[in-house]
Amino acid sequence: MVRYGWTCLAVAIGASSCTNGPPLDPERALIEKGRRLFLTETFDGNGRTCGTCHPPQNNFTLDPAFIATLPDDDPLFVAEFNPELRENFENPRLMRQFGLIVENLDGFDDLENRFVMRGIPHTLGLRHSVDSREGPRTGWSGDGAPGDGSLRSFAVGAVIQHFTKTLNRVAGEDFRLPSDDELDALEAFQLSLGRQEELNLPLPLRNPTALRGQEIFNDPTTGKCFACHFNAGANGDPAVFGEGVGNLNFNTGVEALPDQPPDLIGEKMPPDDGFGIPGDSTFNTPSLIEAADTGPFFHNNSVATLEGAVAFYNGEAFNNSPAGQLVKQATGSGINLDATQVEAVAAFLRVINVLDNLRESLQLTRNSLDYGLFNRGPARRLLAQAGFEIDDAIEVLQAGGLHPEAIPSLSQARALVQRAHNSLFSRKSLTRKAIAHLEQARGRLIDMQQLELKTEK
Amino acid sequence: MKKRLMRYLLGALLFGASVPLSAQKATEMYIPIGKSPGLSGKYTVVGTITSFDADRNRLVVTDTSDVKHTFELLPASKIWIDRSPQKTPNRYGTRSDLRPGYLVEVMYVRRGTQVQKDKIEWVKVRPAGR
């Protein structure tokens, strides 16, 4: 009987794919190297890594709610416990309360007065949000990287600004600069994050409010959003700005908003003049597909909610700005959406964000199936990340009162992913069930048959 | 119709307001000579200062292959002192720091695809013997 039991166990193990996972081709190996660097390499600095400010469990960005979960000795808070960085490195109050970090974009000769406070941009979908006809645009003002200004070079500037042990910022003492190989790997990893394709609007969405929001988004007489956020991404509409225009900068008047949150608590927040030294007041256009679960919004986190960010374009700050005046001259009027229209556009942005969460979680769960019993580590990591995506999807839908009929499927998928993560022998079967629920949820948000027909065309 | 109009006006205004992507991130100052990512050796010249004519703003650099390069120092050209070998902070420099025999890296002006190889965007200088 015992021999029979051991035989069954051996057969079960043998039958359940004992592979060590998919073979790593050079590209995958580079991405994996980049992932390790991104999350664990401190470059001999103050203890921070890229993942300190761009954690994968929070969509590679920070917000006050996530910051509040971190222990006080997290390297993010290094200015609070490193005496060398206590002054003029960060503003802990603005960091904890609004998710803002210090950037010395106009130089380091007067740290006390020359700085700006910026939110932390996520690093998702970069493959389609950095390139432009005039060169790469990184960071909130499009000039975030030293050297050739590329995404690859961005890490060098980040290490100098954020990883330093002291304000001297001496290479070889306060940090070490990433090597060429490390820059290659970091770039490959960052480019692998999030969606790898642009959307092709309009999408056959099922929710009538989101559908109406998509119409307004693409309408040159009402929303006019498509011009700068073509296909809800980060690039200009080629039909408006010319072929290959890519990512653009605009002065949309965010700096002119009254009652900016840090002003309300009396903290020093110098004006941010955007791109260049001195700045031209323009800021970079972010992608909107990832917006709904990566707030707060705009370069200075001045607007906390998605609906508020959409409503911003109705206000005086935008309509009096150079970009707003541009729109007015070109179309005969500014942007003037009523409350229901703002909600509709926000609903559209919520739904396309959730669709992206579902795309990502499906990819992660499917990829996890490639790993066998004796290589659970990578599989568990993929499942954990899928869990975060599903959490985001549920939160985004519920916050907008959208698709309540999809929530049960999402919740079941979440539970199954968690069980799969913890399971030794049933991981794959549980994962397959989770995938089925994710596909079911997706089918409630979008007509997949119509989408596939559109894709084939 | 509206879309054509929008294309015309936005295109015209964008052309007039196009922003040259030459803005250099301020952190460039802290990158030692020869280590600028994507630039060093490609869009820069590393060598020693042969001469600097302050009246004519002419900087002559002899590179590592013994080739002389002549550059114009513009009012907006940045000068940085690379003190990383001494493990002390890099600093902004002045024209008086451009002395013969000093090691330099000169980046010439780039505006998108347009390159002006005789004009200086920035120069990093390391005093001789350091």
Side-chain angles (χ1 to χ4, degrees):
Chain A
M1 191 64 174
V2 170
R3 191 190 304 169
Y4 175 72
W6 280 113
T7 304
C8 284
L9 179 62
V11 167
I13 290 172
S16 74
S17 172
C18 291
T19 59
N20 286 328
L24 273 183
D25 60 31
E27 188 186 350
R28 291 300 315 167
L30 191 65
I31 291 171
E32 177 57 25
K33 177 180 175 181
R35 187 186 69 81
R36 284 197 309 272
L37 288 167
F38 194 91
L39 297 180
T40 64
E41 180 57 56
T42 63
F43 295 103
D44 298 341
N46 59 29
R48 287 173 165 182
T49 67
C50 304
T52 301
C53 294
H54 299 282
Q57 61 270 43
N58 201 56
N59 295 303
F60 296 90
T61 183
L62 290 178
D63 55 67
F66 183 82
I67 290 172
T69 67
L70 299 173
D72 288 341
D73 61 352
D74 189 283
L76 179 67
F77 307 124
V78 67
E80 296 180 27
F81 54 78
N82 181 338
E84 296 285 349
L85 300 174
R86 190 150 281 150
E87 302 291 331
N88 301 320
F89 182 66
E90 296 287 7
N91 180 321
R93 200 173 170 211
L94 289 179
M95 174 183 280
R96 286 181 181 271
Q97 207 159 335
F98 302 112
L100 295 171
I101 58 172
V102 168
E103 294 274 4
N104 302 102
L105 294 167
D106 286 348
F108 293 83
D109 53 336
D110 182 4
L111 296 178
E112 194 170 332
N113 297 298
R114 291 184 83 192
F115 63 93
V116 294
M117 300 303 301
R118 295 255 176 112
I120 295 160
H122 63 75
T123 55
L124 301 169
L126 291 175
R127 194 173 291 283
H128 293 285
S129 62
V130 169
D131 291 336
S132 87
R133 200 164 42 201
E134 294 173 332
R137 296 178 185 263
T138 60
W140 271 117
S141 43
D143 57 352
D148 60 1
S150 66
L151 176 63
R152 180 180 180 275
S153 300
F154 190 90
V156 173
V159 166
I160 294 170
Q161 173 78 60
H162 302 297
F163 286 44
T164 188
K165 287 178 190 166
T166 77
L167 298 181
N168 291 330
R169 291 187 162 94
V170 178
E173 282 289 299
D174 295 310
F175 51 82
R176 68 166 182 86
L177 293 176
S179 67
D180 283 339
D181 289 346
E182 289 173 328
L183 291 178
D184 290 339
L186 285 167
E187 183 192 36
F189 172 66
Q190 290 178 85
L191 287 174
S192 77
L193 297 175
R195 62 188 175 91
Q196 299 296 300
E197 304 289 339
E198 293 274 51
L199 293 183
N200 183 9
L201 302 184
L203 296 174
L205 304 176
R206 294 198 187 276
N207 180 280
T209 309
L211 209 52
R212 177 61 189 139
Q214 181 173 234
E215 286 174 3
I216 295 169
F217 188 94
N218 279 329
D219 189 338
T221 63
T222 48
K224 313 175 191 185
C225 321
F226 68 93
C228 305
H229 294 282
F230 185 56
N231 284 323
N235 300 322
D237 184 346
V240 174
F241 295 105
E243 203 56 45
V245 60
N247 188 233
L248 291 166
N249 270 31
F250 294 99
N251 180 351
T252 56
V254 170
E255 281 288 301
L257 277 169
D259 302 326
Q260 303 253 4
D263 294 335
L264 300 178
I265 62 170
E267 283 293 334
K268 185 177 189 175
M269 186 133 154
D272 189 339
D273 62 359
F275 177 88
I277 306 171
D280 67 357
S281 301
T282 69
F283 293 89
N284 197 241
T285 308
S287 169
L288 297 184
I289 296 165
E290 295 83 2
D293 59 7
T294 54
F297 303 98
F298 304 121
H299 64 275
N300 54 8
N301 285 353
S302 50
V303 176
T305 67
L306 184 67
E307 284 70 17
V310 174
F312 161 76
Y313 292 92
N314 280 337
E316 286 186 9
F318 172 74
N319 283 301
N320 290 339
S321 72
Q325 291 297 302
L326 208 66
V327 168
K328 190 173 179 180
Q329 286 170 40
T331 66
S333 68
I335 295 177
N336 187 19
L337 301 179
D338 221 322
T340 45
Q341 294 174 313
V342 168
E343 293 264 325
V345 173
F348 163 63
L349 295 181
R350 286 183 182 278
V351 170
I352 61 173
N353 176 250
V354 170
L355 285 169
D356 196 59
N357 292 142
L358 292 176
R359 177 203 54 73
E360 185 75 13
S361 55
L362 280 164
Q363 184 178 312
L364 290 164
T365 46
R366 286 177 183 141
N367 287 349
S368 76
L369 294 174
D370 291 336
Y371 295 90
L373 179 67
F374 298 109
N375 198 9
R376 288 191 306 146
R380 294 184 71 191
R381 179 170 52 77
L382 292 169
L383 289 169
Q385 191 63 32
F388 298 135
E389 296 289 334
I390 300 169
D391 286 339
D392 283 345
I394 293 171
E395 191 178 324
V396 168
L397 288 178
Q398 287 183 326
L402 296 163
H403 287 294
E405 76 286 2
I407 302 296
S409 297
L410 289 172
S411 299
Q412 284 176 291
R414 182 64 178 99
L416 285 162
V417 159
Q418 187 62 44
R419 286 176 57 197
H421 177 273
N422 297 336
S423 172
L424 184 60
F425 295 113
S426 305
R427 172 170 54 83
K428 292 195 178 187
S429 62
L430 289 167
T431 302
R432 289 188 188 99
K433 287 177 184 171
I435 289 171
H437 282 289
L438 288 172
E439 288 172 339
Q440 189 176 51
R442 185 178 60 182
R444 298 198 187 279
L445 270 63
I446 192 168
D447 186 331
M448 286 302 296
Q449 207 170 16
Q450 271 202 50
L451 182 67
E452 275 152 23
L453 281 171
K454 179 177 170 147
T455 308
E456 278 165 22
K457 283 178 194 169
Chain B
M1 167 69 128
K2 278 189 186 288
K3 204 157 181 175
R4 278 206 306 276
L5 176 64
M6 187 167 200
R7 183 196 312 176
Y8 170 77
L9 281 172
L10 277 170
L13 284 163
L14 183 69
F15 178 76
S18 67
V19 178
L21 267 188
S22 65
Q24 190 66 63
K25 177 88 164 124
T27 49
E28 183 69 46
M29 179 174 85
Y30 292 106
I31 301 175
I33 286 174
K35 302 289 186 187
S36 187
L39 287 182
S40 291
K42 195 173 170 186
Y43 298 106
T44 70
V45 170
V46 176
T48 52
I49 296 176
T50 302
S51 65
F52 176 58
D53 183 339
D55 293 329
R56 293 166 66 199
N57 296 310
R58 287 278 191 273
L59 178 72
V60 178
V61 174
T62 304
D63 69 22
T64 50
S65 303
D66 233 14
V67 174
K68 283 190 171 51
H69 304 262
T70 303
F71 301 100
E72 181 186 351
L73 190 72
L74 305 172
S77 302
K78 297 179 187 63
I79 303 172
W80 296 313
I81 314 254
D82 177 11
R83 307 197 297 178
S84 52
Q86 298 107 294
K87 300 186 184 358
T88 52
N90 291 1
R91 282 289 175 262
Y92 295 94
T94 64
R95 293 146 64 86
S96 63
D97 294 305
L98 300 174
R99 299 183 188 179
Y102 281 14
L103 179 69
V104 287
E105 180 175 20
V106 176
M107 181 186 157
Y108 35 83
V109 169
R110 279 197 315 151
R111 294 289 181 269
T113 54
Q114 293 179 346
V115 172
Q116 293 176 286
K117 285 192 175 184
D118 61 338
K119 294 186 175 7
I120 297 174
E121 179 81 32
W122 52 252
V123 53
K124 297 176 185 175
V125 57
R126 187 184 298 165
R130 298 184 189 185

